[in-house]
Amino acid sequence: MNHYITKDLTMQTISLKEFQKRLSNLAKDFNNKKEILNEIGILTKNKSEESFEKQSSPFGERWKANAPATLAQKRGNKILTQSGLLRTSLTYKLGNQSVTIGTNKEYASIRN
């Protein structure tokens, strides 16, 4: 099952097949696939940035709390946030039929 964000930004859980069907139908409504992919990129990037504020996944799953040793070494108590550079480095790139979201921060991969 996959999570699906509706137009009013509520969450539904649907199968991958249903998600692909809905995405396919939506793409048919647009003459320019880049336009829909760009909208997906914007939404995904915004939801990812919002995750840093809420300290949870875009689907509402809380992040694991910082360990006491981590808290002792950092300025604040926000999870995955020390300077804010990771959050502000999020970008997205459009492919012909895809959207990739990521960061150029090398240390991001050890946080996953």
Side-chain angles (χ1 to χ4, degrees):
M1 291 296 186
N2 289 301
H3 299 285
Y4 174 74
I5 302 171
T6 64
K7 288 180 183 178
D8 62 358
L9 295 181
T10 59
M11 301 297 286
Q12 296 178 355
T13 301
I14 60 174
S15 69
L16 179 58
K17 186 175 182 179
E18 177 64 19
F19 178 75
Q20 289 172 328
K21 177 183 169 188
R22 289 184 187 187
L23 188 58
S24 177
N25 289 340
L26 186 60
K28 288 176 187 175
D29 291 340
F30 289 87
N31 292 330
N32 182 355
K33 285 186 181 179
K34 292 285 187 188
E35 184 178 334
I36 184 78
L37 292 173
N38 190 56
E39 290 299 319
I40 291 169
I42 291 169
L43 177 62
T44 304
K45 180 179 180 288
N46 289 345
K47 291 302 278 184
S48 296
E49 289 172 347
E50 187 179 285
S51 290
F52 281 87
E53 290 303 316
K54 292 184 175 181
Q55 298 185 51
S56 64
S57 78
F59 309 110
E61 299 156 345
R62 296 288 299 162
W63 289 350
K64 183 179 174 184
N66 285 321
T70 301
L71 289 171
Q73 295 177 20
K74 56 188 293 183
R75 292 183 293 231
N77 62 357
K78 284 204 162 219
I79 303 165
L80 294 180
T81 303
Q82 182 151 338
S83 66
L85 290 176
L86 180 59
R87 181 184 65 200
T88 59
S89 71
L90 294 173
T91 61
Y92 69 94
K93 182 172 81 171
L94 301 179
N96 289 332
Q97 297 183 22
S98 65
V99 178
T100 304
I101 186 164
T103 177
N104 62 353
K105 302 299 178 197
E106 291 181 16
Y107 57 86
S109 63
I110 63 171
R111 305 292 185 237
N112 264 328

